[in-house]
Amino acid sequence: SPYILMVDRGSCSIVQKVRHAQRSSGASAVIIADNTCLCDLLAESLCIPNPPGDYCQTSVPIMHDDGSGADIAISSFYMFKQDVDLIKAEVVANNEVTMEISWSMSSDVGRHSTLN
């Protein structure tokens, strides 16, 4: 049956991670799990660094095609660490986690505008 694979963000590109999931695991989609807190969430104690004292990122990471992703046919999504930690806690507790991914497309898809 179709499944969504969760992989940790790391040093290789997101395109490489998604391609590997598509080719070797048969995943129908990939969740890229952030492993670093955003600084503003860390300051508000909404995210726990791993390991404690680890650095934080000052801006939201941008997930994009590095130019080599033409062969990628599955969807991929990015989740922030504070959300990923909740899901991972359920998995560690040996609880089943069910996720559904859906989105809507704007009627403006395919339209381009030029800025002067």
Side-chain angles (χ1 to χ4, degrees):
S1 71
Y3 66 94
I4 301 167
L5 180 67
M6 180 179 282
V7 297
D8 286 330
R9 177 180 166 205
S11 58
C12 71
S13 77
I14 290 172
V15 172
Q16 289 174 314
K17 288 179 181 294
V18 175
R19 179 179 293 114
H20 184 69
Q22 177 177 290
R23 289 183 181 169
S24 63
S25 74
S28 58
V30 176
I31 300 291
I32 305 296
D34 199 354
N35 53 1
T36 305
C37 293
L38 290 171
C39 295
D40 58 342
L41 296 176
L42 185 63
E44 296 175 27
S45 299
L46 298 174
C47 188
I48 300 168
N50 187 20
D54 197 15
Y55 72 97
C56 59
Q57 52 198 14
T58 57
S59 61
V60 175
I62 297 172
M63 192 169 114
H64 62 74
D65 183 347
D66 64 5
S68 69
D71 61 324
I72 303 294
I74 62 175
S75 298
S76 57
F77 296 87
Y78 191 89
M79 286 186 72
F80 293 114
K81 184 178 184 310
Q82 70 273 13
D83 301 318
V84 166
D85 287 348
L86 298 172
I87 294 168
K88 287 182 176 183
E90 291 299 312
V91 172
V92 168
N94 207 27
N95 295 324
E96 183 176 313
V97 176
T98 302
M99 297 177 77
E100 179 179 326
I101 299 173
S102 64
W103 63 93
S104 61
M105 299 292 282
S106 167
S107 61
D108 291 336
V109 171
R111 294 183 186 176
H112 301 280
S113 61
T114 303
L115 298 175
N116 293 322

